[in-house]
Amino acid sequence: MRKYKYIKFAAFAIILVLFIIKVAEVNKKYPQVVYKDIEVGETSAWTEELELTINGARVFSSKEAVDRYGNIILNDMVDGIDFKVVEVDATVTNKSDSNAIGYLYDLYMENLVFANGIAAEIQINTDTDKLDVDLNPKEYKDVTLCYVIYDTQFNDKEWDEIGSKSFWISGSHYPVKKRWHFI
């Protein structure tokens, strides 16, 4: 009886050691993400060829958004749920010596809880209605990015206090996650 007890203990110890070794190998191969925060007006590499600068952001209530973009945007909104629109002014620059394409839909608006992609139903009403920006060498383009947030994503206190400082744009995620802040 005791013999089986020792065998079970030894087997458990071996499995535990093997598990710890495997976890250590994975952690060594895929280290923890490193965050790089970029302030408003500061330029940083977005891709190998492109740089991104966030020039500023504004948050519009649902009424202000309808005034700005028209009643047509209500067709794509969920009835009975209040929303706000975050409009971001940015500049994309091609720093390379060849043509480059930037895919704006790869830029997510995030906070510590969630991430939202560009709201196509509003984006088509801006001067940046195409979500891919084709740039010649050393060329830059000012773009507008629009994101929608809903009151169901926040509690009442957070919803009333939401401003552009609550979010950032993220365009790269691993191993270095760049976060372009709005203020």
Side-chain angles (χ1 to χ4, degrees):
M1 189 70 148
R2 263 191 168 165
K3 187 177 181 183
Y4 292 117
K5 197 176 195 182
Y6 289 128
I7 291 173
K8 284 182 187 179
F9 179 75
F12 176 75
I14 291 170
I15 291 171
L16 183 63
V17 168
L18 291 174
F19 177 76
I20 291 171
I21 289 171
K22 286 297 183 187
V23 167
E25 286 176 2
V26 169
N27 286 340
K28 185 176 180 181
K29 186 175 181 180
Y30 302 104
Q32 189 74 342
V33 68
V34 175
Y35 293 97
K36 180 179 180 194
D37 291 333
I38 302 147
E39 300 304 319
V40 101
E42 196 176 315
T43 301
S44 185
W46 170 27
T47 66
E48 286 185 28
E49 302 89 13
L50 301 174
E51 294 177 325
L52 179 67
T53 307
I54 300 298
N55 303 313
R58 294 173 296 284
V59 177
F60 298 109
S61 68
S62 53
K63 182 185 178 328
E64 292 168 330
V66 168
D67 291 343
R68 186 168 179 85
Y69 301 107
N71 282 334
I72 193 78
I73 68 170
L74 295 175
N75 293 344
D76 294 313
M77 300 298 168
V78 179
D79 289 335
I81 298 178
D82 193 19
F83 67 93
K84 292 183 182 185
V85 173
V86 179
E87 183 184 275
V88 179
D89 295 321
T91 303
V92 179
T93 305
N94 181 356
K95 63 183 179 181
S96 73
D97 293 326
S98 59
N99 286 359
I101 298 176
Y103 299 103
L104 299 177
Y105 50 79
D106 287 339
L107 297 171
Y108 287 84
M109 183 184 76
E110 300 180 359
N111 68 10
L112 295 174
V113 179
F114 76 98
N116 275 7
I118 290 177
E121 64 274 12
I122 295 177
Q123 192 70 39
I124 61 172
N125 296 304
T126 69
D127 58 344
T128 311
D129 55 350
K130 290 180 66 177
L131 294 179
D132 55 342
V133 178
D134 192 3
L135 297 171
N136 295 321
K138 310 299 183 200
E139 183 182 17
Y140 71 91
K141 182 171 183 177
D142 292 327
V143 296
T144 302
L145 308 171
C146 294
Y147 301 89
V148 174
I149 52 177
Y150 296 96
D151 69 347
T152 55
Q153 295 171 309
F154 303 90
N155 66 40
D156 291 339
K157 183 181 178 194
E158 290 172 329
W159 183 248
D160 293 337
E161 296 174 2
I162 281 181
S164 58
K165 69 179 181 177
S166 306
F167 306 99
W168 56 80
I169 294 288
S170 182
S172 62
H173 302 286
Y174 191 83
V176 177
K177 182 172 185 164
K178 292 185 179 176
R179 302 186 296 188
W180 284 266
H181 291 271
F182 295 156
I183 60 168

